[in-house]
Amino acid sequence: MTPPFVTTDWLAQHLKDPDVVVVDASWHLPNGARNAQAEYLAGHIPGAVFFDIDGIADTSSDLPHMLPSPAEFARAVGALGISEEMTIVVYDEVGLFSAPRVWWTFRSFGAKNVVMLEGGGPKWRAEKRGTETGLQPREKRRFEAKFDADAAVGFETVSANLRSHAAQIVDARPAPRFHGEVPEPRKGLRAGHIPDSTNVPVSLVTENGRLKSPEALQAIFAERGVRLDQPIITSCGSGITAVTLALALEQAGAKHVAVYDGSWAEWGARDDAEVES
């Protein structure tokens, strides 16, 4: 598997390579005060295109930023000037928050060499490297999308797992939300968690906008009782930090990890879904 990160030094050296494309994958919580697209227009890594997580999605779904069809994904990223053969460097302006979701999405649709910028936009800016403003149109490319059906699971699979226990469910939300001690930030959702799931808040696996070392991650998952040699399904609020958790699991050595794309946005809204708190 391609190492998931490149350094700011590497990107600075390869920024103008014709087969390298930089993708700003910034996304912020709906109840936050930040606007990712406005921030992109105000300043981004030179040549970067903006990946709209809520726009390059299944917009027919009531659920937020669900994976689009292969054809829709191919059309959208092809319009951004990206092909599956290019080296795709994804970053976000938190450090390591939404970039993993877009990295995983590209991988899930067949990108052959997609990586993330270690430290993201904050590290790039802290090093006083150049930025530019406005839209950055690129020549359209053809993206040949081939979806990996093992990358994501839906409600039916997770619901069936309550009986089969074929996979461990690991939830990336903060502990108070997992335990139902505070209301969910999205309206209309019950509080609590999927029965028999394990809580590993994403804040445990990241530090200062970066992923912790494989050894540290292994210790965290062992302390939480997560078996890396057994299948795992990750979940969160709406499928963003579930991918960061899946990335952490892979770096710790897990081999069979899938993301519950609907996550709590779906599970917590369904009356036919069992909930524990």
Side-chain angles (χ1 to χ4, degrees), residues 87 112 150 274 277:
T87 297
K112 297 180 180 179
D150 293 330
E274 297 180 47
S277 59

Side-chain angles (χ1 to χ4, degrees), residues 37-155:
Q37 192 158 17
E39 290 180 6
Y40 165 82
L41 293 172
H44 51 263
I45 293 175
V49 296
F50 183 75
F51 186 106
D52 183 355
I53 285 178
D54 289 316
I56 304 177
D58 180 4
T59 55
S60 68
S61 174
D62 293 334
L63 299 170
H65 39 254
M66 295 287 285
L67 287 172
S69 69
E72 179 57 27
F73 180 82
R75 184 203 64 76
V77 299
L80 291 176
I82 304 173
S83 81
E84 78 282 358
E85 299 287 345
M86 302 177 77
T87 297
I88 304 164
V89 183
V90 183
Y91 77 98
D92 67 52
E93 289 291 358
V94 173
L96 192 68
F97 179 53
S98 52
R101 170 74 189 195
V102 174
W103 166 82
W104 170 80
T105 301
F106 272 106
R107 284 208 317 170
S108 300
F109 284 111
K112 297 180 180 179
N113 186 22
V114 55
V115 293
M116 289 170 285
L117 179 63
E118 188 173 41
K123 187 172 189 293
W124 182 270
R125 293 170 187 276
E127 294 168 349
K128 302 189 184 307
R129 299 183 188 270
T131 59
E132 63 184 10
T133 61
L135 291 172
Q136 304 304 318
R138 296 172 53 90
E139 182 180 350
K140 290 184 179 180
R141 297 289 189 104
R142 175 180 172 81
F143 190 103
E144 189 70 32
K146 297 180 180 178
F147 183 61
D148 176 7
D150 293 330
V153 299
F155 177 84

